[in-house]
Amino acid sequence: MAVRQRQSRQRAVGRAVLLLALLLVLCCRAAAERIRYAIPEELGRGSLVGPLARDLGLSPAELPTRKLRLSAEKQYFTVSGESGNLYVSERLDREEMCGESASCSVSFEALVQNPLNVFHVEVAIQDVNDNAPLFLQDNFQLEINEFTSPGARFYLGIAEDPDVGSNSLQGYELETNAYFEVEMKERQDGSKFAELVLRHVLDRESEQSVRLVLTAVDGGDPPRSGTVQLCINVTDANDNAPVFAQDRYRASLREDAPPGSTVLNVSASDADAGTNACITYGFGKMPAKVLQKFVVEAESGTIRLQEALDFEDTRAFSLAVEARDGGGLVAHCEVEVEVLDVNDNAPEITVTSVSSPVPEDAPAGTVVALLKVRDRDSGENGQVWCELSGEAPLSMVSSSVGSYKVVTASALDREQASEHRVTVVARDRGSPSLSSRASLVLEVSDVNDNAPVFEEAAYSAYVAENNAAGAPVVRVRARDADAGANGRVSYWLAGGSAGAAPYVSVEARSGAVYAQRSFDYEQCREFAVAVRAQDGGAPARSSTATVRVFVLDRNDNAPRVLWPAAAGASGSGASSLPAAFEVVPRSAEAGYLVGKVVAVDADAGRNAWLSYELVQASEPALFRVGLHSGEVRTARAVSERDAAKQRVVAVVKDHGQPALSATATLHVVLAESLQEALPELSERAAGADSPAELQFYLVLALALLSALFLLSVALAVLARLRRAGPPAVLRCLGAQRFSVPGAAFPADFCEGTLPYSYNLCVAPARAVAEGAWLPPPLPSVPAEELLGAEPCGKPSPSSSAGAGEPPTDADAPQVCKPSRSRCFL
């Protein structure tokens, strides 16, 4: 009992192993075969062909990433991106697609990405009976002699049916009659033609013509048919019909044969005599395409080529040739012309897919492109081999007949070559060989395999002291051979000498090092920091460079403006300096001297070389400032449209590095005389209680009161001056020049680097009031050498006013007719 159980268990295990092996063989076989579907022709658009994604082993969740798509020369089908099902996208007509071929199928490739792979799909197109048999003409005209013996046969031609198999032409049927029957004959190529067979003797006297209907029937369900009319005329006796030397002729012709080439000669003989023995040759009923290609000479029976042949279009022709004698009897023969292939088609290269760019760390053997190559020629002329031309780490592998994969042959390096250009060369084995080429461009994407490299291992920077916070110190630069984020370098400080960190900062993107504070040469003469450069890859790579900063001594004294003095500025503490304004006549032309900015700089050398610039003015186009002299002149003629009160701001700069500067403000009144300027001056803001303001109002009051008096005595004064000789006003520049000790000039008027002197006419009492002014060391000069200004005021008598006493009315400046006027209020 136990033995039986053991034997039954062993048999069960053996059956299980056998079943498993069988399943494994079936699975392996299925994996190696193509994916095949079969559908009938004439399906509507959108009809389901099959679940392609499922048959490829792809789940719906994988479809978005695998990117399933089709590759074909003509897209008869489409695949759904959501379900992966295969659908019909174009009308499928088997007869149009495959012609008379017994089997018809469409082959294409299904491509998937990530990783790139290709699958071969074949869809068989099944025939449906959608075409009826069709005769090449609507009626046949036959002439048969009344003495023709029963059993004579007459060729009726072929009815064409594009369908195949059981749906194709199956037979012929003839309308019931007393004389004729129809028989079907089949050629070696499978075509079926009809022959009319005479069964009973004709009698022309009783029936001169016979009309019958010939029907061609296919084998479809339901069957389809086509008809043609037979018109048979009964003629007088011609005992013998022509007879061809052969029932079937065969010839071959190269497809590159020129038109006019001889195909072959057919010949027929007739036993009759006279006109009944005269034979003429012609073609029977054939398709128009065949009649366009060939022509037969009626007298000699020579068949010649009329149009060029194309082996890829038609590989063989069947010609129906007739020989007709003078009595109307006809003989038929068949001529089969085989077209020989020549190598006249170059291979065709189709790039079905390119996976570009490819990461530079892709392993060898990665598929980067899929190609299809075909040659329309046959035999050796259609056998193709492919190769890659060009220096690139790529190779080509054949995946199936006519399909190739381009794979990486070795490691890629984007830094050495960011793209590879190769040429696919396809050659056939014909003689002579034909070839074609296609360019393939493969871009290589970057991976972070390079660290940033500084242009210099150590940088040195020289910065003058007293620099502004945020001033650039130096720019470090590191280069990364990678691309994109992997080559995008950022910078930061990574340590340095003690206490150096607070001095500088580095801009993360540009690598510019900026000063965080003003440097002081006396406190710190040099320091060093470490700058790290890091790329944006993952993981990031970095390198470090040292930046050594040397602090340089520099000019740190700004120019000091002596004239015009700032409003509200005090001298040695006695009284406030007066505010100054310049009166410019409205008739002044361009170049008129308005005033002069006087400044000194305690520095020496280039740091004390001063230059002047106009930075602000009520009318910028009205004034200009001398670059080196500081003279303020009109840039154009004064017009009536210009405002009466003008404010000019000039900047004084030295030539230090960096340059230091100071500003001076000059008030200008546009008026022909001081009296005309008084209304404008009266509009100044009230509320200032300084001695200068009090003096200004006092001068205004005196000027208004004396205006009428001056007008009345003007003529008398002129007459007196003419009689007395030179005007007394010129004597203010004589013995009482301000070059004598005690003259009213600033104490540091000749200090600094001023290359000029500046003579002023001021009230003597006012000169004494300024305790900070010392006698100038300038020599006395004549009035002609002054700044082109006419002297004004009166001789400066000895003043008894104290240093801190305000000026009196007697000390006010005398009003004269100057070329330019400077007044202190």
Side-chain angles (χ1 to χ4, degrees):
M1 187 68 179
V3 175
R4 292 181 179 176
Q5 291 179 353
R6 189 181 301 109
Q7 291 177 350
S8 62
R9 192 180 302 112
Q10 290 177 351
R11 286 194 297 269
V13 172
R15 286 195 297 269
V17 172
L18 181 60
L19 180 60
L20 181 61
L22 181 60
L23 291 176
L24 181 61
V25 171
L26 292 176
C27 290
C28 293
R29 181 180 178 184
E33 292 181 351
R34 296 189 174 202
I35 299 175
R36 289 182 169 85
Y37 300 101
I39 59 173
E41 65 172 327
E42 301 295 346
L43 281 181
R45 293 184 180 179
S47 300
L48 176 64
V49 178
L52 180 59
R54 187 184 69 186
D55 294 340
L56 294 177
L58 301 178
S59 64
E62 293 180 289
L63 291 178
T65 57
R66 298 303 300 274
K67 298 179 181 179
L68 176 61
R69 63 185 180 90
L70 304 181
S71 172
E73 297 180 3
K74 186 174 183 181
Q75 297 291 341
Y76 291 106
F77 305 97
T78 184
V79 64
S80 171
E82 298 178 355
S83 63
N85 292 335
L86 188 65
Y87 295 98
V88 177
S89 62
E90 294 289 341
R91 174 178 173 268
L92 301 175
D93 187 349
R94 196 206 65 82
E95 290 74 31
E96 179 181 341
M97 296 167 61
C98 303
E100 299 178 358
S101 176
S103 62
C104 182
S105 63
V106 177
S107 297
F108 54 90
E109 294 173 345
L111 305 178
V112 292
Q113 305 284 342
N114 305 317
L116 181 64
N117 204 351
V118 58
F119 300 93
H120 301 280
V121 183
E122 181 179 349
V123 180
I125 310 300
Q126 299 174 343
D127 183 52
V128 297
N129 191 26
D130 56 345
N131 293 282
L134 179 65
F135 287 96
L136 298 179
Q137 58 191 44
D138 295 335
N139 57 76
F140 285 100
Q141 299 287 340
L142 297 177
E143 290 184 355
I144 302 177
N145 191 272
E146 61 179 335
F147 291 160
T148 302
S149 302
R153 296 176 177 270
F154 303 92
Y155 178 76
L156 296 180
I158 299 175
E160 295 183 347
D161 191 334
D163 295 325
V164 296
S166 61
N167 295 325
S168 64
L169 177 67
Q170 297 298 316
Y172 298 91
E173 297 177 358
L174 185 64
E175 179 183 353
T176 304
N177 64 93
Y179 301 102
F180 299 97
E181 292 180 356
V182 66
E183 291 185 2
M184 183 181 71
K185 294 292 185 68
E186 186 171 353
R187 294 173 178 169
Q188 291 182 351
D189 61 357
S191 59
K192 300 173 182 178
F193 63 92
E195 282 189 344
L196 188 66
V197 181
L198 180 63
R199 294 303 183 188
H200 298 282
V201 177
L202 298 174
D203 185 0
R204 184 178 183 278
E205 286 69 29
S206 62
E207 194 170 5
Q208 296 183 359
S209 64
V210 178
R211 293 184 178 274
L212 303 173
V213 176
L214 178 63
T215 303
V217 183
D218 63 20
D221 184 16
R224 293 176 176 264
S225 62
T227 60
V228 66
Q229 291 285 335
L230 299 181
C231 297
I232 303 170
N233 296 322
V234 182
T235 62
D236 282 337
N238 181 15
D239 294 342
N240 296 287
V243 177
F244 278 99
Q246 301 178 31
D247 293 335
R248 186 187 305 273
Y249 291 85
R250 289 183 174 86
S252 59
L253 199 63
R254 290 169 54 94
E255 64 173 322
D256 60 349
S261 301
T262 300
V263 179
L264 83 165
N265 292 334
V266 295
S267 63
S269 60
D270 194 314
D272 294 323
T275 58
N276 291 332
C278 294
I279 299 175
T280 57
Y281 300 91
F283 285 133
K285 305 304 178 184
M286 294 187 302
K289 181 176 71 172
V290 179
L291 294 175
Q292 292 175 357
K293 296 289 184 182
F294 301 95
V295 63
V296 60
E297 294 180 359
E299 300 297 332
S300 63
T302 302
I303 300 176
R304 298 184 183 277
L305 183 64
Q306 191 168 236
E307 286 187 355
L309 302 175
D310 188 357
F311 175 84
E312 289 71 34
D313 182 29
T314 306
R315 300 190 176 190
F317 294 91
S318 180
L319 309 180
V321 182
E322 296 179 346
R324 185 183 300 272
D325 63 14
L329 296 181
V330 179
H332 301 273
C333 75
E334 181 182 355
V335 178
E336 294 180 356
V337 181
E338 180 185 6
V339 181
L340 302 180
D341 183 41
V342 295
N343 193 23
D344 59 345
N345 290 283
E348 299 175 359
I349 303 175
T350 303
V351 180
T352 57
S353 179
V354 177
S355 179
S356 180
V358 177
E360 60 179 322
D361 60 348
T366 302
V367 179
V368 298
L370 297 175
L371 309 174
K372 290 188 67 175
V373 181
R374 75 161 188 169
D375 194 316
R376 298 180 62 194
D377 295 322
S378 63
E380 289 189 351
N381 296 332
Q383 296 178 6
V384 181
W385 59 276
C386 295
E387 64 178 353
L388 292 179
S389 175
E391 296 183 0
L394 302 174
S395 62
M396 182 175 289
V397 179
S398 176
S399 60
S400 62
V401 178
S403 297
Y404 296 87
K405 294 180 180 179
V406 179
V407 300
T408 56
S410 60
L412 304 176
D413 189 352
R414 191 206 64 85
E415 288 71 39
Q416 292 185 0
S418 60
E419 68 176 18
H420 297 283
R421 294 179 177 269
V422 294
T423 302
V424 181
V425 181
R427 301 180 186 275
D428 60 26
R429 300 185 184 276
S431 179
S433 177
L434 299 180
S435 64
S436 58
R437 298 171 180 265
S439 297
L440 186 63
V441 180
L442 177 66
E443 296 181 356
V444 182
S445 61
D446 185 59
V447 296
N448 192 23
D449 55 350
N450 293 279
V453 178
F454 281 95
E455 294 180 349
E456 302 178 26
Y459 292 82
S460 298
Y462 298 87
V463 182
E465 66 171 331
N466 301 328
N467 58 287
V473 176
V474 70
R475 182 186 296 271
V476 298
R477 180 168 296 175
R479 301 185 182 275
D480 194 315
D482 295 322
N486 297 329
R488 190 178 301 118
V489 181
S490 58
Y491 306 86
W492 70 82
L493 297 179
S497 56
Y503 283 101
V504 294
S505 64
V506 60
E507 207 278 324
R509 291 300 178 192
S510 65
V513 179
Y514 296 97
Q516 287 286 87
R517 59 178 65 180
S518 178
F519 298 158
D520 190 346
Y521 177 81
E522 290 70 28
Q523 292 184 4
C524 179
R525 298 189 177 187
E526 67 175 88
F527 60 89
V529 293
V531 179
R532 175 170 295 173
Q534 179 173 299
D535 59 27
R541 295 175 178 266
S542 63
S543 60
T544 305
T546 301
V547 178
R548 186 172 295 277
V549 180
F550 298 91
V551 182
L552 305 177
D553 196 17
R554 62 171 295 173
N555 168 42
D556 52 0
N557 289 286
R560 184 160 59 92
V561 178
L562 301 180
W563 180 264
S570 60
S572 60
S575 62
S576 301
L577 288 175
F581 66 90
E582 302 289 349
V583 178
V584 177
R586 287 191 175 271
S587 60
E589 298 295 330
Y592 181 86
L593 179 62
V594 177
K596 189 170 187 178
V597 177
V598 182
V600 295
D601 193 310
D603 295 322
R606 290 181 56 87
N607 294 332
W609 294 358
L610 303 181
S611 60
Y612 303 83
E613 295 180 13
L614 181 65
V615 295
Q616 184 179 353
S618 302
E619 294 288 342
L622 183 58
F623 303 100
R624 58 182 173 86
V625 177
L627 179 63
H628 300 293
S629 64
E631 294 179 346
V632 180
R633 294 181 180 271
T634 55
R636 58 172 174 81
V638 179
S639 65
E640 294 298 330
R641 294 190 301 271
D642 295 327
K645 291 191 295 183
Q646 301 285 336
R647 180 172 178 268
V648 180
V649 179
V651 63
V652 185
K653 295 182 179 180
D654 59 23
H655 286 69
Q657 293 295 332
L660 300 179
S661 63
T663 58
T665 304
L666 187 65
H667 297 278
V668 180
V669 177
L670 303 181
E672 292 295 337
S673 64
L674 182 61
Q675 291 78 10
E676 184 179 342
L678 292 178
E680 297 294 338
L681 298 175
S682 64
E683 296 177 2
R684 297 175 62 92
D689 53 358
S690 64
E693 292 294 330
L694 295 177
Q695 184 179 4
F696 171 73
Y697 292 128
L698 180 60
V699 172
L700 285 179
L702 291 176
L704 291 174
L705 292 175
S706 61
L708 294 176
F709 175 75
L710 291 176
L711 290 175
S712 62
V713 300
L715 294 176
V717 171
L718 287 175
R720 181 180 178 183
L721 291 176
R722 290 175 182 173
R723 291 191 302 269
V729 293
L730 290 179
R731 291 193 293 271
C732 70
L733 300 175
Q736 297 295 331
R737 289 193 186 100
F738 291 143
S739 59
V740 298
F745 277 93
D748 54 356
F749 179 74
C750 293
E751 295 179 0
T753 58
L754 294 177
Y756 47 76
S757 61
Y758 194 83
N759 294 335
L760 307 176
C761 290
V762 297
R766 184 62 187 169
V768 178
E770 294 295 336
W773 291 28
L774 298 178
L778 297 175
S780 50
V781 295
E784 293 80 9
E785 298 182 10
L786 292 178
L787 300 174
E790 297 181 6
C792 62
K794 60 183 179 178
S796 176
S798 302
S799 175
S800 60
E805 296 179 3
T808 62
D809 295 342
D811 301 327
Q814 301 299 314
V815 177
C816 58
K817 189 177 181 182
S819 61
R820 54 181 300 278
S821 300
R822 170 171 289 117
C823 299
F824 298 92
L825 301 182

